[in-house]
Amino acid sequence: MNARGSILILGMLCGLLGLLPLVPAAQAMDPLKALELLRQKKEFEEKELKRLSTMEKVPAGEFVMGRNGVNKNEAPAHKVYLDAFYIDVYEVTQLQYLEVMKENPSYFKDCSLCPVEKVRYFQAVSYCSKVGKRLPTEAEWEKAARGGTQTTYYWDKDLIDFYAWYGNNSGGRAQPVGQRKPNAFGLYDMTGNVWEWVSDWYSRDYYKTAPAKNPRGPDAGKLKSVRDGGWGGPPELQAHAYRDYKEPDTRYINVGFRCAKDAKS
């Protein structure tokens, strides 16, 4: 490898990791050092991919989904039984998405450990399928987010800055996953950071007719449900019952996803 090739490799590493100082274009670099940097990059990525792929089991049982007296699409509050399932500990990151899908559609591309965003709904479905998972249902997402609580938040309201990236502290952008405190199930960023696609078609009145066991949303629709509150939302959007919707074929800089899968007996 010549000096020019070594510099190009180092520049690539600097851009991907964001951890090393830039090398002046005229400064040659030992090819062996460049190869060592490549080895370190691969080792770092393999370690992070293993950590980020972890899931937690949400036990089977009932919980109260939705709430009354706030937004009409969250009512009525109703009991739902869900079979046990697994869900990703972290929102899917740019590093993971690039590894599987061989592209990074994100707007905030300078952060490999930030959640991937600008992902269409069906791209999220495809990613989860490729790694042997699926998107969570809206009911699964809410049960996982609540972490066994039935309150508006799984923390005291005044402690939101310890648990969520939202409009008051995010700096107007997505942040690296897992930097805030997890809920009781060990899940990070279940509120704030990016909104998350779920598998359900959106219906404002679905809760009025939803089955009491393993609801999966309407059979068809034009919009897909999203949950979470996002990095730009006020505290009230971080409530675990809060529902919103997006067009499935549109890319949004504040929408990403995490995956789930059935728990095998």
Side-chain angles (χ1 to χ4, degrees):
M1 181 184 297
N2 59 28
R4 179 182 175 84
S6 299
I7 294 171
L8 290 174
I9 290 174
L10 180 60
M12 176 185 70
L13 293 175
C14 293
L16 288 174
L17 297 179
L19 301 174
L20 303 172
L22 292 175
V23 177
Q27 180 179 335
M29 183 180 182
D30 186 336
L32 292 179
K33 188 173 183 179
L35 290 173
E36 173 60 17
L37 288 172
L38 280 174
R39 186 195 66 77
Q40 292 178 16
K41 172 181 176 290
K42 183 177 180 181
E43 184 179 90
F44 167 81
E45 289 184 344
E46 288 177 348
K47 181 179 178 181
E48 288 302 291
L49 287 168
K50 183 177 180 180
R51 177 179 71 89
L52 295 167
S53 67
T54 56
M55 306 185 83
E56 287 290 345
K57 186 177 182 180
V58 178
E62 282 188 338
F63 80 106
V64 177
M65 185 174 184
R67 58 180 172 172
N68 298 318
V70 183
N71 298 302
K72 291 182 178 179
N73 71 349
E74 300 169 6
H78 57 293
K79 286 186 178 180
V80 173
Y81 177 91
L82 294 179
D83 294 330
F85 63 96
Y86 286 93
I87 192 165
D88 286 347
V89 169
Y90 305 100
E91 293 169 325
V92 174
T93 63
Q94 296 178 32
L95 177 65
Q96 292 168 286
Y97 195 86
L98 180 62
E99 174 74 11
V100 174
M101 305 297 282
K102 310 306 179 187
E103 64 172 344
N104 180 7
S106 303
Y107 179 79
F108 301 109
K109 278 190 169 68
D110 59 336
C111 181
S112 65
L113 299 184
C114 286
V116 67
E117 17 82 11
K118 293 192 72 177
V119 178
R120 296 182 180 92
Y121 169 81
F122 292 105
Q123 290 176 311
V125 170
S126 178
Y127 172 92
C128 291
S129 177
K130 285 178 182 291
V131 297
K133 304 177 186 179
R134 58 174 173 78
L135 286 179
T137 66
E138 192 167 3
E140 287 174 336
W141 189 96
E142 185 170 327
K143 183 176 182 179
R146 288 184 176 279
T149 69
Q150 288 299 156
T151 51
T152 302
Y153 311 96
Y154 58 76
W155 62 84
D156 182 87
K157 184 177 180 181
D158 293 334
L159 299 179
I160 186 172
D161 286 298
F162 291 97
Y163 291 88
W165 294 111
Y166 69 112
N168 291 2
N169 66 9
S170 68
R173 58 161 296 153
Q175 296 290 335
V177 301
Q179 301 300 300
R180 291 304 196 232
K181 291 184 177 182
N183 68 7
F185 288 154
L187 308 175
Y188 292 86
D189 301 306
M190 291 301 294
T191 56
N193 222 1
V194 291
W195 290 90
E196 298 178 19
W197 292 113
V198 293
S199 62
D200 300 35
W201 291 104
Y202 173 81
S203 170
R204 173 179 167 175
D205 298 321
Y206 180 66
Y207 286 5
K208 296 177 181 178
T209 59
K213 184 175 182 180
N214 297 322
R216 299 192 175 278
D219 292 334
K222 294 182 178 180
L223 302 168
K224 283 290 182 179
S225 293
V226 292
R227 304 296 293 264
D228 189 297
W231 50 257
E236 53 266 30
L237 267 63
Q238 313 307 321
H240 309 316
Y242 190 86
R243 307 177 70 212
D244 208 344
Y245 52 84
K246 301 289 185 184
E247 296 178 348
D249 290 327
T250 300
R251 301 165 63 201
Y252 303 89
I253 65 171
N254 61 350
V255 178
F257 65 101
R258 75 180 72 214
C259 303
K261 67 179 182 180
D262 297 340
K264 305 297 183 182
S265 60

